[in-house]
Structures are given as C-alpha cells and as structure tokens.
C-alpha cells in the first residue's frame, strides 16, 4: 500500500492554515516542512507553539530541514504530530537524535539528501519508521525531480524489505510509477497536489500510480 503525504512548506502561519483547510476531509496525514534558513537557504514558518491551532483532524510528520534537529524536537512534540523526521546530514549524533524522538513517543523519520549515500542509514533502519529520500535539493518547492533517486530507492529496498521508504520532492504522476516499482511506499508531494484544482483526485492519482 502506498501512502501519499501532501507537503506543506510556507513562510506564514496563515498560508499553512490555508493549505490545511484544503486537506481536511481529503487526507488524514500530511508533512509539515520546517526550514531554518541555515541547513537550507530558505526559511519557513516555524512557530511550534501555534501548531495546536491547526487541530487534530490532520496529523503531521514534522520534517525538520534544520541544523541540530535534536535541539528542536521538544518544541515540535505536539499532540497533532505523529512523526518527526530529521536529516542525517544535520546532526553529529544520529543515534542520540533518534533516541530523543523515540522518548517523545513519536515515530522517527530519517531523511537523506540526494548526495548522501543510502548506505549511511543501513545501521539505523531498524530504529526508524521511515527513510525519506530527497528527490530534489531540500528547502523549496517546484524544483525539478532528480531521477537518480529511483536507483537510490532500489538500492535501499534491496537492503531492506521492511523499511518504509519515502520520496520527497518533484513527485508527480509521471515519476510515481517508477518510484513505486523501485520500492517506495510513501510519496510526499507539495507542488503537484496543491497546483491541482481537485486535490482529492490528485492524491488518488498518485496512490494509483502502480
């Protein structure tokens, strides 16, 4: 089964609210991208204290595109967060970061930029709930999909038959079948989904790209 997570990356809380309003009743879960302006050049809205205002109808995977994510976990440990995903490249202590997330009771996601070998996460796959492979440089939407990620998915799936493999960035119907065939079972899409006039149909289209 393939899960589609709409990705929300916005500079203001009002824009985050607008996108959540579009998703209510369509999907139960979404990815909320948090960019710190350091790990990635762009900076997004990042006020964790306001997250409760979005309610619990949609649960969030908080994707921390941020340096030293271990210092941010406690503030993003909110009731409507089901998973916290951090970048392997953003911390000096991956195991400690995983441990801190697990202590919150949330699921753990580990993300890899396109240039980072997938072998870097082999030792921690049994400790995480999803390995998220970036299909673009992180930090902004509407970037072009890098087809190299298809082979990266295959390589990771050959190593582990059980880990959830997600792909984030440039995910559209034209590439989704190749990603699913390679072994991805979580598709994260922002630009494509929110550009479509019928969001429910857009999500369904990605889900059925098999």
């Amino acid at each position: 089964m393939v899960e589609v997570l709409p990705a929300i990356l916005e500079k203001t809380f009002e824009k985050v609210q607008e996108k959540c309003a579009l998703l209510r009743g369509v999907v139960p879960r979404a990815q909320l991208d948090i960019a710190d302006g350091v790990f990635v050049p762009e900076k997004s809205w990042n006020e964790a204290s306001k997250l409760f205002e979005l309610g619990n109808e949609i649960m969030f995977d908080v994707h921390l595109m941020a340096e030293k994510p271990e210092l941010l976990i406690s503030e993003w440990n909110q009731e409507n967060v089901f998973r916290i995903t951090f970048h392997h490249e953003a911390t000096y202590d991956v195991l400690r970061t995983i441990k801190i997330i697990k202590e919150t009771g949330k699921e753990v996601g580990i993300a890899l930029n396109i240039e980072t070998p997938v072998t870097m996460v082999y030792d921690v796959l049994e400790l995480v709930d999803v390995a998220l492979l970036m299909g673009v440089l992180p930090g902004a939407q509407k970037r072009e999909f890098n087809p190299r990620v298809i082979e990266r998915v295959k390589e990771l799936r050959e190593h582990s038959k059980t880990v959830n493999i997600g792909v984030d960035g440039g995910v559209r119907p034209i590439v989704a079948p190749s990603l699913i065939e390679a072994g991805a079972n979580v598709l994260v899409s922002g630009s494509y989904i929110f550009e479509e006039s019928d969001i429910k149909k857009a999500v369904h289209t990605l889900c059925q790209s098999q």
Side-chain angles (χ1 to χ4, degrees), residues 117-134:
V118 295
T119 54
M120 296 296 288
V121 296
Y122 281 4
D123 290 344
V124 299
L125 289 179
E126 292 187 0
L127 303 176
V128 303
D129 297 282
V130 66
L132 183 68
L133 302 183
M134 300 303 296

Side-chain angles (χ1 to χ4, degrees), residues 132-189:
L132 183 68
L133 302 183
M134 300 303 296
V136 298
L137 290 173
Q141 294 181 332
K142 298 186 179 180
R143 287 178 171 166
E144 187 174 346
F145 176 81
N146 189 328
R148 284 177 51 203
V149 75
I150 297 171
E151 290 303 317
R152 288 164 58 76
V153 171
K154 285 182 182 177
E155 183 181 351
L156 190 56
R157 180 55 73 208
E158 286 172 2
H159 180 78
S160 173
K161 304 300 182 187
T162 57
V163 66
N164 290 310
I165 300 176
V167 177
D168 179 8
V171 176
R172 294 175 177 271
I174 193 170
V175 300
S178 297
L179 292 170
I180 295 169
E181 184 180 356
N185 61 328
V186 180
L187 301 180
V188 181
S189 179

Side-chain angles (χ1 to χ4, degrees), residues 10-152:
E10 293 293 345
K11 293 184 181 298
T12 69
F13 185 59
E14 289 71 27
K15 288 292 186 181
V16 173
Q17 288 177 307
E18 287 176 15
K19 285 192 171 177
C20 287
L22 294 173
L23 296 177
R24 288 191 182 95
V26 177
V27 294
R29 312 205 296 188
Q31 178 175 291
L32 183 60
D33 291 323
I34 305 300
D36 67 351
V38 179
F39 181 69
V40 293
E42 298 83 0
K43 189 172 184 177
S44 71
W45 168 82
N46 59 8
E47 298 174 81
S49 62
K50 295 179 73 69
L51 203 57
F52 78 96
E53 295 184 31
L54 298 175
N56 294 336
E57 193 173 343
I58 298 172
M59 299 295 289
F60 296 101
D61 177 346
V62 173
H63 176 203
L64 295 174
M65 297 182 286
E67 287 284 352
K68 299 180 180 178
E70 61 273 20
L71 302 181
L72 304 174
I73 292 164
S74 61
E75 64 184 277
W76 289 101
N77 177 24
Q78 304 288 334
E79 186 177 343
N80 53 358
V81 172
F82 75 92
R83 180 163 62 222
I84 297 176
T85 297
F86 70 98
H87 276 258
H88 182 280
E89 306 87 356
T91 178
Y92 290 111
D93 196 334
V94 169
L95 286 175
R96 178 170 175 264
T97 304
I98 291 173
K99 180 176 182 290
I100 294 171
I101 297 174
K102 283 186 172 293
E103 287 173 350
T104 69
K106 309 298 185 186
E107 292 183 13
V108 181
I110 188 165
L112 286 179
N113 288 343
I114 196 82
E115 300 299 335
T116 305
V118 295
T119 54
M120 296 296 288
V121 296
Y122 281 4
D123 290 344
V124 299
L125 289 179
E126 292 187 0
L127 303 176
V128 303
D129 297 282
V130 66
L132 183 68
L133 302 183
M134 300 303 296
V136 298
L137 290 173
Q141 294 181 332
K142 298 186 179 180
R143 287 178 171 166
E144 187 174 346
F145 176 81
N146 189 328
R148 284 177 51 203
V149 75
I150 297 171
E151 290 303 317
R152 288 164 58 76

